[in-house]
């Protein structure tokens, strides 16, 4: 074997010793198989403490996919920040006039569709007079009986229902009073006595807001001192309830707004994380596509030959060393046959790339290495490699001409 090839192989082995992860690249699978076939063991990538752990060469390319799968199987969710339920406090109300609701069967009601004759109307008025006498004597049960008779005789009279409602209030039967007041208001929506009796009955039931509304309407229709006196007890309670409701409606709305904001931030964070993940994956994919041989060409130069040398070492030196360079040197290299000589070196055909080229001389030449990092020099070098006739137009450039000449001398055949 040519001494220069042995030197290059030694440099490659040294590179593998320095960075065993080179062998994890799929393009070196043939070399791994060769070593393992001889009973050898392939060292793998290093841990942070310098030790090595076993790792399949296929893992590098699938790590991100495995991370994606892990995220799908075990999605990462931040713990939802749950606020405690809002518990409403008690309201201190004056319930002096509140009574136990009456749960007796509904009282008899008249049929509003009944046609009332003059005779029935007069009889109804007579029954009402008897009821008023009973009330004045304190006989409330008797008064209810007379008023019920009056309602059945004239079921179209709102005043009869409203009057019976006032008697039920005196008897502390608010539910019965509400039923009569509703009947009176159905017949006459402007019945002041109907609103008054219902408002007072609702006060007894502790329905403060509804009571305040009825009493205010009654006062507008026919003001009296009794309504004013009851309102003074009802309105403070109604205001407390209204303020309490507004307070907790506001607290619930604020809680819901915070929940919506947390959800919005969570979705934004998920979208951002998905974007960053996709971006990272794309960058990693681009890096793998353009990274060439891991660790670079033996002797340094990470990422391969600087500038790519149009056509590069075709295929990124598949198979690496040892072995030939399929495809030979790029087309148009000074002195080579068009398209390069297949199988590269050693033993290239005459006019092709010399078989005694020592690449270590190029890679270890500081001047050439520095020149390869100069875009102007590389552009000129690539131009000449594409067409050797272009050498003439770069002869006058003091920066380019010496480098091209030196490179050509490195590749010159035996003299």
């Amino acid at each position: 074997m040519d001494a220069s090839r042995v030197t290059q192989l030694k440099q490659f082995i040294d590179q593998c010793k320095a960075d065993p992860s080179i062998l994890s690249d799929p393009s070196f699978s043939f070399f791994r198989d060769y070593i393992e076939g001889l009973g050898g063991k392939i060292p793998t990538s290093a841990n942070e403490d310098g030790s090595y752990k076993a790792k399949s060469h296929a893992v590098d390319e699938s790590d991100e996919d495995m991370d994606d799968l892990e995220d799908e199987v075990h999605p990462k969710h931040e713990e939802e920040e749950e606020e405690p339920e809002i518990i409403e406090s008690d309201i201190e109300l004056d319930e002096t006039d509140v009574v136990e609701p009456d749960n007796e069967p509904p009282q008899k009601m008249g049929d509003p569709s009944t046609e009332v004759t003059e005779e029935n109307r007069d009889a109804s008025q007579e029954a009402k007079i008897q009821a008023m006498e009973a009330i004045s004597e304190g006989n409330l049960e008797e008064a209810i009986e007379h008023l019920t008779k009056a309602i059945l005789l004239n079921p179209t009279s709102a005043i009869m229902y409203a009057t019976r409602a006032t008697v039920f209030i005196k008897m502390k039967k608010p539910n019965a009073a509400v039923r009569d007041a509703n009947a009176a208001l159905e017949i006459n929506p402007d019945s002041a006595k109907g609103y008054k009796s219902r408002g007072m009955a609702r006060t007894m039931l502790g329905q403060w807001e509804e009571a305040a509304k009825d009493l205010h309407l009654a006062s507008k229709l026919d003001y009296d001192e009794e309504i004013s006196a009851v309102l003074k007890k009802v309105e403070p309670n109604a205001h407390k309830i209204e303020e309490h409701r507004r307070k907790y409606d506001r607290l619930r709305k604020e809680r819901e707004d915070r929940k919506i904001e947390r959800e919005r931030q969570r979705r934004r964070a998920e979208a951002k994380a998905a974007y960053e993940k996709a971006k990272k994956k794309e960058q990693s994919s681009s890096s793998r596509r353009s990274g060439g041989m891991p660790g670079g060409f033996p002797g340094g130069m990470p990422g391969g030959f600087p500038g790519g040398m149009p056509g590069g070492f075709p295929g990124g030196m598949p198979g690496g060393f040892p072995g030939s360079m399929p495809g030979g040197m790029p087309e148009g290299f000074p002195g080579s046959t068009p398209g390069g000589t297949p199988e590269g070196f050693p033993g290239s055909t005459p006019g092709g790339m010399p078989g005694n080229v020592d690449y270590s001389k190029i890679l270890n030449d500081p001047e050439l290495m520095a020149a390869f990092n100069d875009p102007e020099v590389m552009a000129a070098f690539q131009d000449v490699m594409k067409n050797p006739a272009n050498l003439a137009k770069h002869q006058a450039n003091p920066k380019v001409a010496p480098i091209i000449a030196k490179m050509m001398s490195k590749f010159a055949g035996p003299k």
Side-chain angles (χ1 to χ4, degrees), residues 111-153:
D111 182 2
S113 64
T114 301
E115 184 177 350
V116 182
T117 64
E118 274 305 315
E119 183 180 355
N120 286 346
R121 197 180 305 276
D122 292 340
S124 175
Q125 285 295 327
E126 181 64 28
K128 179 185 176 185
I129 293 172
Q130 293 175 352
M132 300 304 292
E133 291 176 354
I135 292 173
S136 64
E137 295 175 357
N139 298 323
L140 300 181
E141 290 288 353
E142 181 182 342
I144 291 294
E145 291 177 3
H146 290 305
L147 288 170
T148 299
K149 180 180 178 181
I151 289 171
L152 295 175
L153 289 168

Side-chain angles (χ1 to χ4, degrees), residues 156-170:
T156 63
S157 174
I159 193 66
M160 295 298 181
Y161 283 107
T163 302
R164 190 170 69 171
T166 61
V167 178
F168 279 130
I169 290 172
K170 292 179 182 294

Side-chain angles (χ1 to χ4, degrees), residues 116-243:
V116 182
T117 64
E118 274 305 315
E119 183 180 355
N120 286 346
R121 197 180 305 276
D122 292 340
S124 175
Q125 285 295 327
E126 181 64 28
K128 179 185 176 185
I129 293 172
Q130 293 175 352
M132 300 304 292
E133 291 176 354
I135 292 173
S136 64
E137 295 175 357
N139 298 323
L140 300 181
E141 290 288 353
E142 181 182 342
I144 291 294
E145 291 177 3
H146 290 305
L147 288 170
T148 299
K149 180 180 178 181
I151 289 171
L152 295 175
L153 289 168
N154 185 10
T156 63
S157 174
I159 193 66
M160 295 298 181
Y161 283 107
T163 302
R164 190 170 69 171
T166 61
V167 178
F168 279 130
I169 290 172
K170 292 179 182 294
M171 297 174 68
K172 299 188 183 300
K173 294 183 178 182
N175 284 327
V178 169
R179 287 191 290 268
D180 274 350
N182 287 338
L185 291 170
E186 286 178 7
I187 296 170
N188 179 13
D190 294 326
S191 172
K193 195 168 185 177
Y195 283 117
K196 177 182 176 180
S197 57
R198 191 172 70 178
M200 295 178 70
R202 285 176 166 173
T203 299
M204 297 172 72
L205 292 169
Q207 299 172 359
W208 307 108
E209 291 178 290
E210 295 86 347
K213 183 179 178 181
D214 282 340
L215 292 171
H216 277 295
L217 286 171
S219 183
K220 288 180 181 179
L221 293 168
D222 185 13
Y223 176 81
D224 66 41
E225 293 296 331
E226 188 177 15
I227 294 175
S228 179
V230 176
L231 274 173
K232 288 180 181 179
K233 296 180 179 180
V234 171
E235 284 188 320
N237 286 345
H239 290 158
K240 287 181 180 179
I241 293 172
E242 184 179 5
E243 290 174 1

Side-chain angles (χ1 to χ4, degrees), residues 305 308-314 325-341 353 359 381-382 384-386 388 411:
F305 214 101
M309 290 181 59
F313 289 158
M325 294 165 52
M329 288 299 291
E331 179 178 355
F333 197 100
S336 68
T337 60
T341 302
M353 185 177 133
Y359 275 93
F381 185 51
Q382 292 173 3
V384 172
M385 292 188 68
K386 290 178 181 177
F411 287 102

Side-chain angles (χ1 to χ4, degrees), residues 244-277:
H244 180 87
R245 182 174 59 252
R246 287 179 178 176
K247 172 186 175 181
Y248 283 95
D249 284 348
R250 175 177 55 81
L251 291 176
R252 277 187 284 268
K253 184 178 184 304
E254 290 174 354
R255 183 176 185 270
E256 184 63 23
D257 290 343
R258 288 192 294 271
K259 182 178 180 181
I260 293 173
E261 177 62 19
R262 288 195 302 271
E263 178 65 16
R264 186 181 66 82
Q265 292 179 356
R266 184 185 67 79
R267 291 181 179 178
R268 178 190 295 175
E270 287 180 353
K272 182 178 179 182
Y275 170 77
E276 294 294 340
K277 190 172 184 179

Side-chain angles (χ1 to χ4, degrees), residues 29-84:
S29 61
F30 76 96
F31 192 49
R32 289 193 303 272
D33 293 342
Y34 172 71
I35 294 176
E36 291 172 349
L38 296 177
K41 183 178 180 181
I42 304 296
T44 51
S45 55
N47 293 321
E48 293 182 357
D49 60 1
S51 63
Y52 292 97
K53 65 178 182 179
K55 180 180 180 182
S56 170
H57 61 273
V59 171
D60 286 339
E61 294 196 2
S62 62
D63 281 347
E64 290 185 4
D65 294 336
M66 291 300 293
D67 290 341
D68 293 344
L69 181 59
E70 183 69 17
D71 288 343
E72 291 176 6
V73 176
H74 303 290
K76 299 174 183 176
H77 293 293
E78 294 183 1
E79 291 187 4
E80 182 73 16
E81 181 183 351
E82 286 292 341
E83 295 186 24

